Amino acid sequence: MRRMAEEGFRRAQERDRYAPHVRLVNEMVDDLRGHDGRGWMPYVAPWHGGVDARVLSVLRDPGPATQDGTGSGFLCMENDDPTAARQCQAFGDAGIGAGDITPWNAYPWYINRAPTAAEQQAGVAPLKRLIELLPHLRVVLLQGGDAQRTWRRLAKKHPEVAQQTRFEVVSTYHPGRQALWSPDPAVRAAREQHRVDAYRLVAKALHERG
């Protein structure tokens, strides 16, 4: 069972959602909720590093497990879903703790589907704002095509942000089953290995950059 399924853990996240290390991030979420009529987005769980994180992990969009009421209300690798579990395992295997990570999405508002090109573009400004809140950032991990396409849009619009030398950019597959599936076992194995290698690159960058 994932920790967000435990009432005590979930309540602690709710209680501490404006703790000093995540306050600026979650105040940004408050500001973005409903922005331009785009609706709701989850907070970043204080279990993660917030502004102290050295890794920014970007996926596609918030999944059902992040929803208020039926889910946790947070982006968290302890959410009760397989994608979160797979991420948590991979980071753990690479020796990277939750406190070193801030999770985010290419399109941070809840839609539970692939974002359109226009929605990917709309995700650029929040991503830029978040990067500017992370002074210790050393690695941006782009997981999946949507995250990578949004990053390319960011790089085109804000090259001064995307080309900073203080962090590296690592790209790999999305951890969801659909992204990793192929009828060819060799392809599936290669995708899984690509993810393992990417997380090792993240760990190596953290070790080298401090």
Side-chain angles (χ1 to χ4, degrees):
M1 184 173 69
R2 309 295 297 157
R3 295 182 72 187
M4 271 296 189
E6 302 170 5
E7 184 177 359
F9 181 83
R10 186 175 63 255
R11 287 193 175 189
Q13 303 311 296
E14 294 169 352
R15 181 192 66 225
D16 295 337
R17 68 183 180 275
Y18 295 117
H21 70 291
V22 287
R23 183 179 184 87
L24 291 176
V25 176
N26 285 333
E27 286 180 342
M28 183 184 77
V29 170
D30 284 331
D31 183 54
L32 290 169
R33 284 183 173 182
H35 181 73
D36 288 340
R38 294 189 181 276
W40 179 87
M41 71 169 62
Y43 290 116
V44 172
W47 186 67
H48 289 293
V51 299
D52 297 328
R54 297 189 295 161
V55 180
L56 175 59
S57 173
V58 186
L59 273 72
R60 189 186 78 177
D61 66 302
T66 69
Q67 280 199 292
D68 269 334
T70 56
S72 69
F74 290 93
L75 296 178
C76 185
M77 293 191 309
E78 283 292 343
N79 277 338
D80 196 18
D81 72 79
T83 297
R86 197 170 290 115
Q87 265 203 106
C88 198
Q89 180 70 47
F91 275 117
D93 288 348
I96 303 167
D100 248 333
I101 304 158
T102 285
W104 197 247
N105 286 284
Y107 188 75
W109 294 271
Y110 185 83
I111 51 173
N112 196 30
R113 59 168 171 78
T116 64
E119 288 168 336
Q120 290 173 7
Q121 188 64 45
V124 167
L127 181 56
K128 175 179 180 288
R129 286 179 64 178
L130 181 58
I131 289 170
E132 290 169 347
L133 293 177
L134 306 181
H136 308 293
L137 185 62
R138 297 295 178 264
V139 184
V140 177
L141 177 61
L142 304 172
Q143 302 190 70
D146 289 284
Q148 293 158 30
R149 283 186 287 274
T150 295
W151 185 262
R152 288 195 291 271
R153 292 175 184 274
L154 172 71
K156 183 177 181 180
K157 188 171 184 179
H158 303 288
E160 76 285 358
V161 175
Q163 295 173 12
Q164 293 181 61
T165 58
R166 68 186 176 103
F167 57 76
E168 295 183 25
V169 179
V170 177
S171 298
T172 190
Y173 292 92
H174 189 282
R177 290 175 180 171
Q178 184 177 359
L180 297 172
W181 165 253
S182 168
D184 186 336
V187 172
R188 292 200 302 271
R191 290 176 180 176
E192 292 282 5
Q193 187 61 49
H194 193 283
R195 283 186 46 74
V196 170
D197 293 343
Y199 280 78
R200 288 174 177 167
L201 282 175
V202 173
K204 181 174 182 287
L206 293 184
H207 176 74
E208 292 175 349
R209 290 172 172 264

